[in-house]
Short mmCIF file of all heavy atoms in Angstrom, two decimals:
data_model
loop_
_atom_site.label_atom_id
_atom_site.label_comp_id
_atom_site.label_asym_id
_atom_site.label_seq_id
_atom_site.Cartn_x
_atom_site.Cartn_y
_atom_site.Cartn_z
N ILE I 30 -4.52 -4.66 -3.48
CA ILE I 30 -3.73 -3.47 -3.79
C ILE I 30 -3.57 -3.29 -5.29
O ILE I 30 -3.25 -4.23 -6.01
CB ILE I 30 -2.36 -3.55 -3.09
CG1 ILE I 30 -2.56 -3.53 -1.58
CG2 ILE I 30 -1.45 -2.41 -3.54
CD1 ILE I 30 -1.31 -3.76 -0.78
N LYS I 31 -3.79 -2.03 -5.74
CA LYS I 31 -3.59 -1.65 -7.14
C LYS I 31 -2.32 -0.82 -7.31
O LYS I 31 -1.72 -0.83 -8.38
CB LYS I 31 -4.78 -0.82 -7.66
CG LYS I 31 -6.09 -1.54 -7.70
CD LYS I 31 -7.19 -0.79 -8.40
CE LYS I 31 -7.23 0.68 -8.20
NZ LYS I 31 -8.37 1.37 -8.80
N ASN I 32 -1.94 -0.09 -6.27
CA ASN I 32 -0.80 0.81 -6.35
C ASN I 32 -0.30 1.05 -4.93
O ASN I 32 -1.08 1.35 -4.03
CB ASN I 32 -1.24 2.13 -7.00
CG ASN I 32 -0.11 3.13 -7.15
OD1 ASN I 32 0.91 3.06 -6.49
ND2 ASN I 32 -0.32 4.08 -8.04
N ILE I 33 1.01 0.96 -4.75
CA ILE I 33 1.60 1.16 -3.43
C ILE I 33 3.03 1.68 -3.57
O ILE I 33 3.76 1.26 -4.47
CB ILE I 33 1.58 -0.14 -2.60
CG1 ILE I 33 2.14 0.09 -1.19
CG2 ILE I 33 2.29 -1.27 -3.31
CD1 ILE I 33 2.01 -1.11 -0.26
N GLY I 34 3.40 2.61 -2.69
CA GLY I 34 4.80 2.97 -2.54
C GLY I 34 5.36 4.08 -3.39
O GLY I 34 6.52 4.43 -3.23
N ASN I 35 4.55 4.66 -4.28
CA ASN I 35 5.05 5.79 -5.06
C ASN I 35 4.88 7.07 -4.25
O ASN I 35 4.08 7.14 -3.33
CB ASN I 35 4.30 5.90 -6.39
CG ASN I 35 4.58 4.71 -7.28
OD1 ASN I 35 5.72 4.40 -7.59
ND2 ASN I 35 3.53 4.00 -7.66
N LYS I 36 5.62 8.10 -4.60
CA LYS I 36 5.52 9.38 -3.91
C LYS I 36 4.13 9.97 -4.14
O LYS I 36 3.69 10.10 -5.27
CB LYS I 36 6.60 10.33 -4.42
CG LYS I 36 6.61 11.67 -3.74
CD LYS I 36 7.12 11.54 -2.33
CE LYS I 36 7.13 12.90 -1.65
NZ LYS I 36 6.64 12.88 -0.32
N ALA I 37 3.44 10.31 -3.06
CA ALA I 37 2.10 10.91 -3.17
C ALA I 37 2.24 12.40 -3.42
O ALA I 37 2.95 13.10 -2.70
CB ALA I 37 1.31 10.66 -1.90
N LYS I 38 1.56 12.88 -4.44
CA LYS I 38 1.58 14.31 -4.75
C LYS I 38 0.45 15.05 -4.02
O LYS I 38 0.53 16.24 -3.77
CB LYS I 38 1.45 14.51 -6.26
CG LYS I 38 2.66 13.99 -7.02
CD LYS I 38 2.47 14.18 -8.52
CE LYS I 38 3.69 13.72 -9.28
NZ LYS I 38 3.78 12.31 -9.50
N ASN I 39 -0.60 14.31 -3.70
CA ASN I 39 -1.73 14.86 -2.95
C ASN I 39 -2.45 13.69 -2.28
O ASN I 39 -1.99 12.56 -2.38
CB ASN I 39 -2.68 15.65 -3.86
CG ASN I 39 -3.20 14.82 -5.01
OD1 ASN I 39 -3.75 13.73 -4.80
ND2 ASN I 39 -3.02 15.30 -6.23
N THR I 40 -3.55 13.96 -1.62
CA THR I 40 -4.25 12.90 -0.89
C THR I 40 -5.51 12.40 -1.61
O THR I 40 -6.21 11.55 -1.09
CB THR I 40 -4.66 13.40 0.51
OG1 THR I 40 -5.49 14.55 0.36
CG2 THR I 40 -3.44 13.74 1.34
N LEU I 41 -5.76 12.91 -2.81
CA LEU I 41 -7.01 12.58 -3.51
C LEU I 41 -7.23 11.09 -3.75
O LEU I 41 -8.32 10.59 -3.56
CB LEU I 41 -7.07 13.33 -4.85
CG LEU I 41 -7.10 14.85 -4.75
CD1 LEU I 41 -7.08 15.48 -6.14
CD2 LEU I 41 -8.32 15.32 -3.97
N ASN I 42 -6.20 10.37 -4.15
CA ASN I 42 -6.35 8.96 -4.47
C ASN I 42 -5.77 8.03 -3.41
O ASN I 42 -5.57 6.85 -3.67
CB ASN I 42 -5.73 8.64 -5.83
CG ASN I 42 -6.48 9.31 -6.96
OD1 ASN I 42 -7.70 9.42 -6.92
ND2 ASN I 42 -5.76 9.78 -7.95
N LEU I 43 -5.49 8.55 -2.24
CA LEU I 43 -4.94 7.71 -1.18
C LEU I 43 -6.09 7.07 -0.41
O LEU I 43 -6.91 7.76 0.17
CB LEU I 43 -4.07 8.53 -0.23
CG LEU I 43 -2.83 9.16 -0.83
CD1 LEU I 43 -2.06 9.92 0.23
CD2 LEU I 43 -1.94 8.11 -1.46
N GLN I 44 -6.14 5.77 -0.43
CA GLN I 44 -7.20 5.04 0.25
C GLN I 44 -6.73 4.47 1.57
O GLN I 44 -7.47 3.77 2.25
CB GLN I 44 -7.73 3.93 -0.67
CG GLN I 44 -8.39 4.49 -1.91
CD GLN I 44 -8.71 3.40 -2.89
OE1 GLN I 44 -7.83 2.86 -3.55
NE2 GLN I 44 -9.99 3.06 -2.98
N GLY I 45 -5.51 4.76 1.92
CA GLY I 45 -4.94 4.27 3.16
C GLY I 45 -3.45 4.51 3.16
O GLY I 45 -2.90 5.11 2.24
N GLN I 46 -2.79 4.00 4.20
CA GLN I 46 -1.34 4.13 4.31
C GLN I 46 -0.77 2.78 4.74
O GLN I 46 -1.20 2.19 5.73
CB GLN I 46 -0.99 5.22 5.33
CG GLN I 46 0.48 5.48 5.48
CD GLN I 46 1.12 6.07 4.23
OE1 GLN I 46 0.46 6.68 3.42
NE2 GLN I 46 2.40 5.89 4.08
N TYR I 47 0.18 2.29 3.96
CA TYR I 47 0.89 1.07 4.31
C TYR I 47 1.59 1.30 5.64
O TYR I 47 2.24 2.33 5.83
CB TYR I 47 1.90 0.73 3.21
CG TYR I 47 2.81 -0.41 3.54
CD1 TYR I 47 2.32 -1.71 3.59
CD2 TYR I 47 4.16 -0.20 3.80
CE1 TYR I 47 3.16 -2.77 3.89
CE2 TYR I 47 5.00 -1.25 4.09
CZ TYR I 47 4.51 -2.54 4.14
OH TYR I 47 5.34 -3.58 4.43
N VAL I 48 1.48 0.36 6.56
CA VAL I 48 2.03 0.57 7.90
C VAL I 48 3.24 -0.30 8.22
O VAL I 48 3.81 -0.16 9.30
CB VAL I 48 0.93 0.39 8.99
CG1 VAL I 48 -0.18 1.40 8.82
CG2 VAL I 48 0.41 -1.02 9.04
N GLY I 49 3.61 -1.19 7.32
CA GLY I 49 4.81 -1.97 7.57
C GLY I 49 4.58 -3.31 8.24
O GLY I 49 5.46 -3.83 8.92
N ILE I 50 3.39 -3.89 8.05
CA ILE I 50 3.09 -5.21 8.61
C ILE I 50 2.48 -6.05 7.49
O ILE I 50 1.40 -5.73 7.00
CB ILE I 50 2.09 -5.12 9.78
CG1 ILE I 50 2.53 -4.11 10.82
CG2 ILE I 50 1.90 -6.51 10.40
CD1 ILE I 50 1.43 -3.69 11.77
N SER I 51 3.18 -7.11 7.11
CA SER I 51 2.70 -7.96 6.01
C SER I 51 2.96 -9.42 6.32
O SER I 51 3.74 -9.74 7.23
CB SER I 51 3.44 -7.59 4.71
OG SER I 51 3.29 -6.22 4.43
N LYS I 52 2.31 -10.29 5.56
CA LYS I 52 2.50 -11.73 5.76
C LYS I 52 2.51 -12.44 4.42
O LYS I 52 1.75 -12.11 3.51
CB LYS I 52 1.39 -12.31 6.62
CG LYS I 52 1.59 -13.81 6.92
CD LYS I 52 0.55 -14.36 7.85
CE LYS I 52 -0.70 -14.72 7.10
NZ LYS I 52 -1.69 -15.45 7.87
N ILE I 53 3.42 -13.40 4.30
CA ILE I 53 3.47 -14.29 3.15
C ILE I 53 3.20 -15.71 3.67
O ILE I 53 3.90 -16.19 4.57
CB ILE I 53 4.85 -14.26 2.45
CG1 ILE I 53 5.24 -12.82 2.10
CG2 ILE I 53 4.84 -15.15 1.22
CD1 ILE I 53 6.69 -12.67 1.65
N LYS I 54 2.19 -16.35 3.12
CA LYS I 54 1.87 -17.73 3.52
C LYS I 54 2.97 -18.69 3.04
O LYS I 54 3.57 -18.48 1.99
CB LYS I 54 0.53 -18.17 2.93
CG LYS I 54 -0.67 -17.37 3.41
CD LYS I 54 -1.09 -17.73 4.80
CE LYS I 54 -1.77 -19.07 4.81
NZ LYS I 54 -2.11 -19.53 6.14
N LYS I 55 3.21 -19.72 3.82
CA LYS I 55 4.32 -20.64 3.51
C LYS I 55 4.19 -21.28 2.13
O LYS I 55 5.19 -21.50 1.46
CB LYS I 55 4.45 -21.70 4.60
CG LYS I 55 3.27 -22.63 4.76
CD LYS I 55 3.51 -23.60 5.90
CE LYS I 55 2.28 -24.43 6.18
NZ LYS I 55 2.48 -25.30 7.33
N ASN I 56 2.97 -21.53 1.68
CA ASN I 56 2.80 -22.16 0.36
C ASN I 56 3.05 -21.19 -0.79
O ASN I 56 3.04 -21.58 -1.95
CB ASN I 56 1.41 -22.79 0.24
CG ASN I 56 0.29 -21.77 0.34
OD1 ASN I 56 0.49 -20.64 0.76
ND2 ASN I 56 -0.91 -22.18 -0.01
#
């Protein structure tokens, strides 16, 4: 990820949509 979560003004640079599923490894 280079950029996530800012208000989108258009769809030109949107490469996907965060869906609310993430994981952090224990280490």
